[in-house]
Amino acid sequence: MKRLLLLCFLSLLAFSKMAGQSLELMPGTSRIFADAQWLKTFDAERKWSLFSRSRATVDYENHTDLFTGAYLNYTTPSGLGGTVVGRIATSGAGADAGIHYFKAGKSFMVYALASVGLQQDFSCSWFSILRYTPAFNDNWKLYSSLELFSNFSRAGHIASVQRIRAGLDQSGYQFGLAVNLLGLGKVYKTTDTNPGVFLRKQF
């Protein structure tokens, strides 16, 4: 099963390189993190869009964790809209439906999604990406990114992830310092910290 998921990830990674939005590699102290993203719009007003991402995490003992998700969005001019999500991961597969907010400018981007799982067992989650990239001059920008994810069941908090990036952007290449944090359990407590560096290419 892991080999099949890895094959799916590599296939999507190759596709993302051709029609991609971004590719990121983050070597950390505990594990290596890779992330491929792409975005497809279906109309001139960009109301309908499909955002997809594939992630792979491999520790230095060769344990692998994979995730691929597709987010079908309908966004109104206000930035609010509906989303349906399909996902497959090492831990299983599922689908979600929710409400999102999206707004982007020359130097910032905000995407926030509150969703509910469509499985029999109740679950809800919050996912958001915030980026701030002001320009220093024609060639250099500051690059900062904060990604948040939290998941809850009827019993309470399950897991939360924070991915923080701070660095520079030069002609579509971003690089700098990075840290991924993981918290588990009903009473949130950071159980895993993976600091490192990142290299990202935005298309």
Side-chain angles (χ1 to χ4, degrees), residues 3-153:
R3 290 182 179 179
L4 177 60
L5 286 171
L6 182 59
L7 181 62
C8 291
F9 173 81
L10 292 175
S11 298
L12 187 54
L13 189 65
F15 176 75
S16 297
K17 193 169 184 179
M18 293 182 290
Q21 185 184 29
S22 67
L23 294 172
E24 180 185 286
L25 182 64
M26 179 212 158
T29 56
S30 302
R31 58 193 58 82
I32 297 171
F33 174 80
D35 185 31
Q37 302 180 19
W38 61 270
L39 177 67
K40 172 67 176 177
T41 57
F42 297 101
D43 59 287
E45 296 178 336
R46 302 173 69 90
K47 290 182 178 180
W48 288 98
S49 65
L50 180 66
F51 169 71
S52 181
R53 75 183 306 176
S54 292
R55 299 193 306 263
T57 304
V58 182
D59 66 22
Y60 296 113
E61 296 180 354
N62 208 30
H63 299 131
T64 303
D65 184 52
L66 302 170
F67 170 88
T68 295
Y71 301 71
L72 179 62
N73 302 299
Y74 177 80
T75 306
T76 66
S78 69
L80 291 171
T83 299
V84 177
V85 183
R87 50 186 164 74
I88 181 170
T90 304
S91 57
D96 306 271
I99 298 173
H100 74 266
Y101 175 78
F102 173 76
K103 190 64 70 174
K106 189 175 181 180
S107 62
F108 76 93
M109 190 275 289
V110 177
Y111 179 84
L113 170 65
S115 61
V116 176
L118 300 179
Q119 298 72 242
Q120 185 173 358
D121 295 331
F122 173 80
S123 68
C124 62
S125 62
W126 171 265
F127 169 63
S128 60
I129 301 176
L130 300 93
R131 293 197 182 106
Y132 181 54
T133 56
F136 296 128
N137 53 47
D138 291 339
N139 297 317
W140 291 90
K141 296 180 182 180
L142 172 70
Y143 179 83
S144 59
S145 175
L146 174 63
E147 184 174 326
L148 305 171
F149 173 79
S150 291
N151 183 238
F152 300 87
S153 69

